[in-house]
Amino acid sequence: MASLLGTSSTAILASRRLSSSSPSFPPSISVQNHGKKCYGGIGFQTKKGRSPRHLSVTNVATDINSVEQAQKLAAKESQRPVYPFAAIVGQDEMKLCLLLNVIDPKIGGVMIMGDRGTGKSTTVRSLVDLLPEIRVVAGDPYNSDPTDPESMGVEVRELVIRGEQLPVVSTKINMVDLPLGATEDRVCGTIDIEKALTEGVKAFEPGLLAKANRGILYVDEVNLLDDHLVDVLLDSAASGWNTVEREGISISHPARFILIGSGNPEEGELRPQLLDRFGMHAQVGTVRDAELRVKIVEERARFDKNPKEFRESYKAEQEKLQQQIASARSNLSSVQIDQDLKVKISKVCAELNVDGLRGDIVSNRAAKALASLKGRDNVTPEDIATVIPNCLRHRLRKDPLESIDSGLLVIEKFYEVFS
């Protein structure tokens, strides 16, 4: 799927000859005129003096969709096998934080810190199989929501204003990896300056932030990320939009994503501005139980020996977890939290001197997501006790002389207030 802004002016002008009853999203086919007439980005050889042949838009869209579906199926079969989420042994705190963010993306992501070799990256990447499908505008590089103007790209919004019907398809939520060595242009997207100056067209090539819109952006070893990329993430996480400013040209697109980061605290601390953007914080420790360690080693050996057979053995558990997540997402809006519990959550935050109100908001959201995951319509104090350490642990002001874990401080204050 090509960017609307990145399509050549020839294809755009030609596509206007097609039926105006449905919006045309030019396919990602480079257009070069070498004695050919071009319609919607598809060329037909014609003889001089003869009128060009026209092709039905519906047929083109159907053919393209069928090809895309076949390509997706082939890519899924050929892609690297992922370790099943249901097969992860232990690390319940990390797994719960990830599931709650999938159920309610507005929680704001999760930061996972822990020892090396504890399965942080494996667990995050195993989440791919559990991600539900969302409805997006077909052919749009920003995964625009056909019903939410806040999650629409500029081009899609213009189509809605003109009253045109949007082609909609269902696709799985994206998980995008942000490598440490990525350049700012690759992350934000780039502008074709030459085309902008010569043709007056804002030709834009979307980056990783566009691909991650309405999806998940995962940064491994996030505490080692370059400062200029951290600034880009901060700006997008704060506004939900990515703006590229180059040579007097400004292009913006939606960039609302679940930010997931992992790292080893021994390799350096995370900047407090970015740390505060993570909704939840999970701490991962090395498993000390000898029997559990043996089980983990044996499971990993089984997976390495025959990944396909290993994944098949966990297929039933994976499907059950998928259904549980889908049900929790659909029932989330009906979950209620009593006013008394809201006041107590805010009292805990106030007495712990938590800066800002993000701690209050995230604690309420996470508790409702947990209640929905358990199939209930009301939040209980036990739900709050489960999630509030993960929501507030990283927001406390650090005392270098304090030896107690910040999560334990949150639990102590919780029981003091809720008793």
Side-chain angles (χ1 to χ4, degrees):
M1 298 180 185
S3 168
L4 295 178
L5 294 175
T7 309
S8 68
S9 57
T10 308
I12 293 173
L13 289 171
S15 66
R16 288 176 182 171
R17 299 190 186 184
L18 298 173
S19 172
S20 60
S21 60
S22 62
S24 66
F25 287 82
S28 55
I29 301 174
S30 60
V31 179
Q32 294 179 343
N33 278 329
H34 299 295
K36 293 184 178 183
K37 297 289 184 179
C38 295
Y39 292 88
I42 302 174
F44 291 90
Q45 189 73 37
T46 58
K47 292 184 179 180
K48 190 174 181 180
R50 289 191 181 181
S51 59
R53 297 177 182 176
H54 292 267
L55 188 65
S56 170
V57 177
T58 307
N59 292 340
V60 173
T62 305
D63 291 342
I64 291 172
N65 287 337
S66 61
V67 170
E68 287 179 353
Q69 292 295 334
Q71 289 175 343
K72 285 180 182 179
L73 185 61
K76 186 176 181 181
E77 291 176 352
S78 62
Q79 69 184 1
R80 186 174 55 183
V82 179
Y83 198 85
F85 189 87
I88 303 290
V89 178
Q91 313 298 12
D92 294 332
E93 180 181 326
M94 171 173 57
K95 291 193 290 186
L96 179 63
C97 290
L98 291 171
L99 289 177
L100 295 183
N101 274 274
V102 174
I103 292 168
D104 186 2
K106 292 184 178 179
I107 288 175
V110 55
M111 177 66 199
I112 304 167
M113 295 294 278
D115 304 329
R116 60 181 68 89
T118 50
K120 300 185 294 292
S121 301
T122 302
T123 306
V124 173
R125 293 192 172 101
S126 69
L127 200 62
V128 171
D129 290 336
L130 303 179
L131 296 178
E133 289 191 340
I134 54 173
R135 292 174 63 78
V136 300
V137 177
D140 183 64
Y142 310 118
N143 301 320
S144 294
D145 188 338
T147 58
D148 182 13
E150 287 298 315
S151 298
M152 287 182 184
V154 176
E155 302 83 9
V156 174
R157 193 176 296 184
E158 289 176 356
L159 292 175
V160 173
I161 292 173
R162 293 202 299 265
E164 298 185 26
Q165 189 174 357
L166 300 175
V168 180
V169 296
S170 294
T171 182
K172 262 202 166 190
I173 291 177
N174 272 337
M175 179 178 284
V176 180
D177 274 282
L178 175 60
L180 294 179
T183 62
E184 187 173 338
D185 283 348
R186 183 69 190 100
V187 175
C188 296
T190 58
I191 294 178
D192 190 338
I193 301 298
E194 182 180 355
K195 184 169 285 188
L197 295 177
T198 57
E199 301 179 17
V201 178
K202 291 183 180 180
F204 178 65
E205 182 182 350
L208 295 178
L209 292 180
K211 190 178 179 182
N213 185 41
R214 301 182 67 206
I216 295 174
L217 185 66
Y218 175 49
V219 190
D220 195 9
E221 306 295 348
V222 65
N223 46 340
L224 303 180
L225 197 65
D226 289 341
D227 283 347
H228 69 281
L229 293 182
V230 171
D231 294 336
V232 169
L233 288 182
L234 282 172
D235 185 44
S236 296
S239 63
W241 283 76
N242 174 42
T243 303
V244 181
E245 301 280 358
R246 300 282 165 84
E247 304 296 332
I249 298 175
S250 174
I251 290 181
S252 297
H253 66 79
R256 298 179 183 274
F257 46 80
I258 303 171
L259 184 60
I260 298 179
S262 62
N264 184 353
E266 295 178 359
E267 296 171 354
E269 293 293 330
L270 195 63
R271 280 172 57 177
Q273 302 98 312
L274 184 58
L275 186 62
D276 188 57
R277 290 293 172 184
F278 288 98
M280 303 182 78
H281 186 285
Q283 284 189 347
V284 182
T286 304
V287 177
R288 302 299 177 189
D289 185 274
E291 291 183 1
L292 274 181
R293 292 171 75 108
V294 170
K295 184 179 180 183
I296 294 170
V297 171
E298 289 176 346
E299 292 284 88
R300 185 70 210 190
R302 280 181 56 208
F303 176 76
D304 291 338
K305 184 179 180 181
N306 193 335
K308 189 174 181 180
E309 183 181 318
F310 184 80
R311 285 171 57 84
E312 280 294 325
S313 66
Y314 281 95
K315 187 176 180 180
E317 292 182 48
Q318 290 278 98
E319 290 177 350
K320 182 180 178 182
L321 200 50
Q322 274 182 312
Q323 293 172 359
Q324 195 175 357
I325 291 171
S327 175
R329 282 172 64 94
S330 61
N331 296 333
L332 180 64
S333 58
S334 62
V335 177
Q336 301 294 324
I337 180 168
D338 294 339
Q339 183 68 22
D340 180 51
L341 296 180
K342 291 180 182 178
V343 172
K344 288 183 177 179
I345 289 173
S346 294
K347 188 175 181 181
V348 171
C349 296
E351 294 191 8
L352 287 171
N353 294 320
V354 175
D355 292 332
L357 294 173
R358 285 201 185 100
D360 306 57
I361 296 170
V362 171
S363 297
N364 279 272
R365 286 192 175 279
K368 291 172 72 174
L370 179 58
S372 184
L373 182 63
K374 292 181 176 179
R376 288 188 273 100
D377 292 332
N378 289 293
V379 174
T380 65
E382 288 76 18
D383 296 330
I384 300 171
T386 303
V387 300
I388 200 168
N390 304 112
C391 299
L392 302 182
R393 174 191 285 142
H394 56 299
R395 306 180 193 278
L396 303 186
R397 295 183 180 180
K398 290 190 175 181
D399 183 354
L401 301 178
E402 187 66 69
S403 60
I404 189 171
D405 176 61
S406 54
L408 294 177
L409 288 175
V410 175
I411 284 292
E412 288 178 0
K413 184 59 67 175
F414 169 84
Y415 284 115
E416 181 183 321
V417 171
F418 276 75
S419 61

